[in-house]
Amino acid sequence: MPELPDVENFRRVVDGGGLGCQIAGVAVDDDRILESVTPRRLGARLRGAAFVETRRHGKHLLVRYAPGTGDGGWVTLHFGMTGGVARVGQGESQPPYTRVRFDFEDGGHLAYTSRRMLGHVGLADDADAFIRSHQLGPDALDPGFDNDAFADCLRDVRREIKSALMDQTVIAGLGNVYVDEILFQARLHPKTRLETLDDKALRDLYRVMRRVLKVAIRNGAGTEEVSKRLPSGYLLPHRTKGARCPRCGTTLAKETVAGRTTWYCPRCQPEPGKA
DNA sequence: CGTTATGTTCGATG
DNA sequence: GCATCGAACATAAC
């Protein structure tokens, strides 16, 4: 799940249910998930503090905690290919695959889940420094990331378009599923060379990218219902064997591009240079 | 049992 | 340095 739209909805879960609650302790079920911090130090930093602010950059969720004792800072959450966060009320049990539990004084908790253990939880003193250290490109939905900035990011990239859009150091937030969706909506073949797009094509791509991400967020990205709620012309619910293009009915193609399973419509997204 | 999975990183190669 | 590819990480669902 966790691409930009999913993580944005996780952020809203924390905003809506996790801010302002005093933290009683942190339970780490599997410390391989921790990034450069011990369970002991994580607990020591957070005990008595409260979460006060969230930030998201690409697929990273950052949650600021404030005082208790000592300095505040940020908890960094990354979700790998599986995982999420859930606000769990008092008396309710933790969700499956909970790896880190932030226990609140009210008896509830915030659960960080990860089935495949590919994500990470860590601490950072400074959010901007954390983002810089990961060499992340601009966030795809940042309000300041306008069409010109988008074009600047892609202008000198000479790669297949799918590979470039999935590269977090170029633009942060897009992953396998939503890149396929964006290319479908933009009617571009995933192997299109980026350097062949003219200014108009880049403008269209920018607009499609922003719209797809916002529509996914609004329709519950990060929850199971998202594929039922997306508009009928979306590709995402049809990423399955034998499925047909929701626009023209052609059987969808499944191919490996940039090392990942890629779904597209061979008719709506013809490969440039091929008839 | 084999295959596959919404991510990232690292090493080899051209 | 850049682009590309494959493997690795780790776990479970189909």
Side-chain angles (χ1 to χ4, degrees):
Chain A
M1 263 183 294
E3 302 182 32
L4 186 154
D6 316 281
V7 179
E8 174 59 22
N9 282 332
F10 300 159
R11 189 185 71 76
R12 293 176 186 188
V13 166
V14 178
D15 262 2
L19 300 189
C21 312
Q22 195 176 12
I23 299 165
V26 181
V28 179
D29 284 21
D30 191 321
D31 39 346
R32 287 173 302 174
I33 211 75
L34 297 185
E35 177 106 285
S36 59
V37 66
T38 60
R40 182 193 174 89
R41 191 162 78 89
L42 184 63
R45 285 296 207 87
L46 293 181
R47 205 168 300 117
F51 293 133
V52 290
E53 177 188 358
T54 59
R55 254 183 87 172
R56 182 191 55 70
H57 190 101
K59 304 171 186 175
H60 292 267
L61 176 58
L62 308 178
V63 185
R64 188 164 72 85
Y65 61 92
T69 54
D71 297 333
W74 298 82
V75 175
T76 64
L77 306 168
H78 190 75
F79 301 95
M81 290 177 88
T82 59
V85 296
R87 176 63 160 102
V88 179
Q90 192 251 330
E92 297 170 1
S93 51
Q94 67 181 37
Y97 310 113
T98 295
R99 310 300 184 181
V100 181
R101 224 180 49 228
F102 301 94
D103 291 320
F104 297 127
E105 293 286 0
D106 71 3
H109 67 264
L110 189 72
Y112 168 92
T113 63
S114 179
R115 179 152 59 76
R116 283 174 64 191
M117 299 286 303
L118 292 172
H120 292 289
V121 173
L123 290 175
D125 292 331
D126 182 80
D128 291 316
F130 174 84
I131 291 162
R132 270 196 306 276
S133 72
H134 284 256
Q135 299 180 297
L136 299 173
D139 179 79
L141 267 193
D142 187 311
F145 187 52
D146 61 15
N147 181 65
D148 288 345
F150 178 77
D152 286 345
C153 282
L154 300 180
R155 201 180 316 281
D156 295 320
V157 181
R158 288 174 154 67
R159 293 159 68 173
E160 290 174 348
I161 189 167
K162 172 151 184 173
S163 159
L165 292 179
M166 283 202 307
D167 187 336
Q168 303 303 296
T169 69
V170 176
I171 296 171
L174 308 178
N176 194 36
V177 166
Y178 285 104
V179 166
D180 278 5
E181 187 67 59
I182 290 162
L183 295 177
F184 176 72
Q185 301 293 335
R187 305 195 184 217
L188 291 169
H189 189 283
K191 287 185 171 174
T192 306
R193 300 294 307 187
L194 200 47
E195 61 268 30
T196 66
L197 299 192
D198 60 17
D199 286 351
K200 178 186 181 307
L202 280 178
R203 263 199 311 278
D204 290 346
L205 180 61
Y206 172 77
R207 280 201 212 96
V208 167
M209 177 189 78
R210 302 278 281 203
R211 177 163 44 79
V212 164
L213 295 174
K214 287 175 186 172
V215 165
I217 292 165
R218 196 186 316 135
N219 287 284
T223 69
E224 304 215 337
E225 300 86 66
V226 66
S227 65
K228 281 179 269 182
R229 288 177 44 187
L230 286 173
S232 59
Y234 269 56
L235 175 72
L236 190 153
H238 305 280
R239 298 171 62 91
T240 172
K241 190 167 175 292
R244 292 167 181 281
C245 171
R247 197 158 43 205
C248 76
T250 301
T251 299
L252 295 173
K254 180 193 179 193
E255 196 180 327
T256 297
V257 179
R260 308 298 302 278
T261 299
T262 300
W263 294 88
Y264 66 97
C265 173
R267 182 163 164 207
C268 299
Q269 301 163 267
E271 185 166 0
K274 308 253 167 123

